Amino acid sequence: MYTSNFSNLLLNVDSYKASHWLQYPPNTEYISYYIEARGGDLDVLFFGLQAFIKEYLLTPITNNDIDEAETVFTAHGLPFNRQGWQRLLDKHQGLLPIKIEAVPEGTVLPVGNVVCQIVNTDPEFFWLVGYLETALLRAIWYPSTVASVSYYCKQKIKAALEKTADSLDGMGFKLHDFGARGASSLETVALGGLAHLVNFMGTDSVSALIAAKRWYNATTMPAFSIPAAEHSTMTSWGKEREVDAYRNMVEQFAGTNKTYAVVSDSYDLWNALENIWGVELKELVELKGGTLVVRPDSGDPVKVVCRTLEILAEKFGTTVNNKGYKVLPDCVRVIQGDGINLNSLGKILDAIIALGFSVENVAFGMGGGLLQQVNRDTMGWAMKASAVKIDGEWRAICKDPITSQAKRSKKGLLALIKQDGHWETINQSQLSDKINQLRPVFVDGKLLVDEDLDTIRKRTESYLLKP
């Protein structure tokens, strides 16, 4: 019986890949694949390749990996390329003879462009690039999609702040990752949570912090959180002692320059706002210092956020900023963490502004809508072969199904250029003096580009700041 080893790269694959080495034309020498997001409403924020390379491609394959894979595939009903993998081990010491080139991580560009291109560097292993499709495509589409969702939200929030706030201070904390418990696995949280941190600095996904150090050289804390209540800690006091539960939160966590969040809808949100926070504990909140962040949580997020702002404004007062919008005193703010997704966020922002409030009064928490409600089709990610070299001659290849033009793939050895702010995917033969935005990041088992999270954040920020 075979063992269970999830770290075996030979088993990180779709079953049918095991038979593909027998399906290419005779005298095939090289095959080039590329990855792109083919469609959708979001721009691409490319992220995650470095994590995959560090986790899976820098460790040589071993005889044990080959033995295990042979056992699995043979029992599974598929042929196994024992000779090819053994030759790779003997000739290249188990390191992969491939070249991966990609756009720098943190780059933002339109869909429909190549972001990554992979080719073998040794003609004996033309079959290797296609074999990696399952693992490599997944490693790119998921974190890139989460990063793109997060970036879209940041664009929306930034525009709303520019309209209604005197500064963009605190923008990095306006969208908090609440997605850890709703994600499908620990690695999902690590990758998706880290992708969110390209854009923001607030998270409750601790795995993302570990990932930032493990894969992206973080030397300082990359994100932050605050003490916050959940329903169990509030309801454990009983409904009749709801005020005591809230008072305890203030006593425990308030203070100069401190921030704490209290979920307030365990029973009657409107009573909690109008009578408990707005009357019984108002003076305590003001005297203790720091910032109470009220979390209304359940209900229609548009209606609930707006009504919460109105009640807090009535009880705590407001000032009017230079943009002409109402701002609550520093001692109280709002966070909405339920029902936030790409569709609802814009509606809530618009409603806040329509009421005459500055968006600086509100932060958002995003869980499933950030880390889990995405799939490969969200942005149409695909990895396809575009060129093959047979008998010394490169040939452009593609798929072009008559039943779906949307799935037509690109041809040839590709390059990515940017001119006057416009991105375009072209053939390498058309480059001339143009600069190819794809850069080598991995060649023959070696990582050539090893960036830190701060560098990637700054790169992404440069796109956000452009008009």
Side-chain angles (χ1 to χ4, degrees):
M1 182 62 179
Y2 58 87
T3 60
S4 299
N5 182 6
F6 283 115
S7 64
N8 188 343
L9 185 65
L10 279 65
L11 298 176
N12 191 352
V13 68
D14 288 310
S15 298
Y16 74 153
K17 291 290 185 182
S19 68
H20 289 177
W21 61 287
L22 295 168
Q23 300 179 28
Y24 293 103
N27 301 318
T28 299
E29 300 166 333
Y30 298 91
I31 304 179
S32 182
Y33 280 69
Y34 74 96
I35 295 176
E36 69 170 329
R38 293 179 293 196
D41 299 325
L42 304 173
D43 284 336
V44 175
L45 199 172
F46 181 69
F47 182 74
L49 176 60
Q50 182 172 300
F52 175 75
I53 291 173
K54 285 189 172 183
E55 191 69 19
Y56 295 105
L57 299 190
L58 299 185
T59 302
I61 65 168
T62 66
N63 265 316
N64 286 339
D65 293 331
I66 298 171
D67 291 342
E68 182 183 40
E70 184 174 32
T71 300
V72 171
F73 284 119
T74 301
H76 191 43
L78 291 161
F80 179 67
N81 188 7
R82 174 82 199 205
Q83 181 178 356
W85 286 109
Q86 192 66 53
R87 176 64 173 157
L88 189 151
L89 178 61
D90 296 339
K91 187 175 183 180
H92 295 284
Q93 295 73 54
L95 295 171
L96 303 186
I98 60 172
K99 179 176 76 170
I100 302 175
E101 53 185 1
V103 68
E105 297 196 32
T107 298
V108 179
L109 70 164
V111 296
N113 285 293
V114 56
V115 294
C116 182
Q117 188 164 236
I118 313 97
V119 65
N120 56 297
T121 58
D122 183 331
E124 284 192 60
F125 305 97
F126 62 88
W127 49 267
L128 180 59
V129 179
Y131 195 92
L132 295 174
E133 177 190 355
T134 305
L136 183 57
L137 178 58
R138 183 179 59 226
I140 287 175
W141 83 251
Y142 175 70
S144 292
T145 301
V146 173
S148 300
V149 168
S150 178
Y151 182 79
Y152 174 88
C153 292
K154 193 169 185 179
Q155 288 177 300
K156 289 288 188 181
I157 293 170
K158 177 176 179 282
L161 285 172
E162 287 175 333
K163 181 176 181 178
T164 67
D166 290 339
S167 77
L168 297 180
D169 293 346
M171 185 170 67
F173 294 94
K174 286 297 183 184
L175 187 66
H176 201 87
D177 174 9
F178 285 167
R181 72 186 59 186
S184 59
S185 70
L186 178 64
E187 189 174 65
T188 301
V189 178
L191 284 169
L194 181 57
H196 172 68
L197 296 187
V198 173
N199 300 296
F200 291 94
M201 297 186 67
T203 188
D204 262 34
S205 292
V206 176
S207 304
L209 309 179
I210 309 305
K213 181 178 181 180
R214 181 180 180 90
W215 296 322
Y216 287 90
N217 308 308
T219 56
T220 58
M221 179 52 62
F224 303 89
S225 190
I226 60 172
E230 70 174 22
H231 289 103
S232 72
T233 61
M234 297 297 95
T235 57
S236 62
W237 293 75
K239 185 175 181 179
E240 69 282 357
R241 298 185 64 196
E242 183 178 14
V243 65
D244 295 327
Y246 296 165
R247 181 183 290 109
N248 180 65
M249 289 295 295
V250 182
E251 297 284 0
Q252 294 286 353
F253 302 114
T256 304
N257 297 323
K258 294 183 178 180
T259 304
Y260 56 105
V262 184
V263 63
S264 302
D265 73 328
S266 295
Y267 309 109
D268 184 343
L269 172 63
W270 313 125
N271 177 67
L273 293 170
E274 292 177 356
N275 297 314
I276 300 179
W277 292 124
V279 177
E280 293 185 66
L281 299 181
K282 177 177 181 290
E283 184 176 358
L284 182 65
V285 168
E286 293 171 335
L287 290 177
K288 279 289 187 177
T291 302
L292 160 68
V293 182
V294 176
R295 179 158 70 96
D297 208 43
S298 55
D300 183 325
V302 175
K303 295 178 181 178
V304 168
V305 169
C306 289
R307 183 61 184 143
T308 297
L309 286 172
E310 289 177 322
I311 295 173
L312 292 177
E314 177 186 339
K315 297 298 182 178
F316 286 87
T318 61
T319 56
V320 177
N321 64 19
N322 293 326
K323 297 287 181 68
Y325 289 87
K326 292 178 285 188
V327 181
L328 292 167
D330 292 341
C331 66
V332 63
R333 288 291 185 268
V334 178
I335 184 169
Q336 177 62 27
D338 183 65
I340 304 302
N341 53 49
L342 290 176
N343 294 322
S344 66
L345 179 62
K347 295 177 182 178
I348 299 169
L349 292 171
D350 290 343
I352 292 170
I353 295 171
L355 269 183
F357 285 93
S358 172
V359 171
E360 65 192 283
N361 293 297
V362 183
F364 300 92
M366 202 170 179
L370 181 65
L371 300 190
Q372 197 63 32
Q373 293 171 15
V374 297
N375 56 50
R376 187 165 71 91
D377 293 332
T378 301
M379 302 181 71
W381 288 94
M383 177 172 166
K384 297 298 178 185
S386 61
V388 58
K389 191 173 187 179
I390 302 174
D391 283 331
E393 179 185 353
W394 277 107
R395 305 175 186 180
I397 61 175
C398 72
K399 63 177 288 186
D400 189 8
I402 193 173
T403 52
S404 178
Q405 289 193 351
K407 290 195 172 184
R408 178 186 298 164
S409 62
K410 292 176 167 56
K411 297 180 180 180
L413 296 171
L414 304 176
L416 179 69
I417 61 172
K418 184 181 182 183
Q419 292 183 307
D420 300 322
H422 175 71
W423 294 88
E424 185 180 0
T425 298
I426 62 174
N427 278 284
Q428 289 181 6
S429 59
Q430 299 173 295
L431 265 174
S432 183
D433 59 347
K434 304 178 184 72
I435 298 174
N436 188 358
Q437 300 295 319
L438 301 178
R439 60 181 182 178
V441 295
F442 177 89
V443 177
D444 297 339
K446 295 180 180 179
L447 180 66
L448 305 183
V449 177
D450 189 4
E451 292 191 319
D452 58 55
L453 182 61
D454 285 340
T455 297
I456 294 168
R457 280 172 158 172
K458 290 175 183 176
R459 182 175 294 127
T460 300
E461 187 73 12
S462 70
Y463 291 94
L464 189 72
L465 296 176
K466 291 176 182 178

